[in-house]
Amino acid sequence: MKEDIVAKLTVKDDAYACGLAEKIISESEDSDAWYEYFDDFATLLDHPKSLVRNRALFILAANAQWDEENRFDAILSDYLKHVTDEKPITARQCIQALAQVGLAKPSYIPRILECLEQADLSKYRDSMRPLIEKDIEETKKKLMS
């Protein structure tokens, strides 16, 4: 099951790949069984398909709590760049997932908050910008409480 996880998460069959991602995320809430693939998941942050990037963002966030080796340190900058991803949906997914990352890794909270404060949302359509702004406010609230 776990062999070649990147190939399975990037197959053309989005229903299959999303189902697998949901399974990994769910299992990662209670166990570090998927943490050994952290670096593999991290390679998906730069995938050309936004759906794949979304999966990676949530899987990595779910595994942040198991990151005793501080592997997240190496990818935090890459992760944060998705706050202003070219796709507004991916930006929203990233911003929402950052609450989980920050709660698992409190030392990241100042950097996450700074990134959210400085996010330039001007490239997004007027229909999306308020939704992204709302996500930012909700994530900031969770991280500052």
Side-chain angles (χ1 to χ4, degrees):
M1 172 68 183
K2 293 182 181 178
E3 64 284 342
D4 207 7
I5 195 66
V6 169
K8 291 179 178 173
L9 287 168
T10 58
V11 295
K12 287 197 184 315
D13 182 350
D14 284 326
Y16 169 82
C18 282
L20 176 59
E22 287 171 13
K23 173 182 166 40
I24 293 169
I25 292 163
S26 173
E27 291 177 2
S28 297
E29 300 293 328
D30 304 317
S31 155
D32 67 352
W34 291 98
Y35 177 71
E36 67 183 286
Y37 301 95
F38 188 91
D39 296 333
D40 296 317
F41 300 139
T43 65
L44 300 176
L45 287 174
D46 293 322
H47 197 276
K49 234 176 122 178
S50 62
L51 272 177
V52 174
R53 294 195 303 275
N54 294 350
R55 290 177 205 136
L57 290 164
F58 280 116
I59 290 170
L60 290 165
N63 278 279
Q65 66 179 325
W66 309 113
D67 186 29
E68 293 175 7
E69 298 168 25
N70 293 317
R71 290 191 205 171
F72 220 111
D73 291 0
I75 67 158
L76 185 59
S77 292
D78 270 348
Y79 198 100
L80 290 173
K81 77 180 182 192
H82 294 289
V83 165
T84 55
D85 193 274
E86 62 182 294
K87 298 286 189 185
I89 298 298
T90 301
R92 294 191 68 200
Q93 305 272 303
C94 176
I95 292 161
Q96 293 166 14
L98 278 171
Q100 186 174 14
V101 172
L103 295 173
K105 310 280 282 177
S107 64
Y108 293 169
I109 292 176
R111 190 153 164 212
I112 293 169
L113 292 174
E114 180 183 5
C115 179
L116 295 175
E117 289 288 335
Q118 295 176 353
D120 179 4
L121 308 179
S122 62
K123 67 179 168 184
Y124 300 116
R125 290 193 319 266
D126 291 345
S127 58
M128 287 304 292
R129 202 171 311 124
L131 298 172
I132 297 170
E133 289 168 349
K134 183 174 182 253
D135 291 331
I136 288 174
E137 289 311 309
E138 287 176 7
T139 295
K140 283 168 43 178
K141 203 181 316 174
K142 287 177 186 171
L143 293 176
M144 294 191 294
S145 62

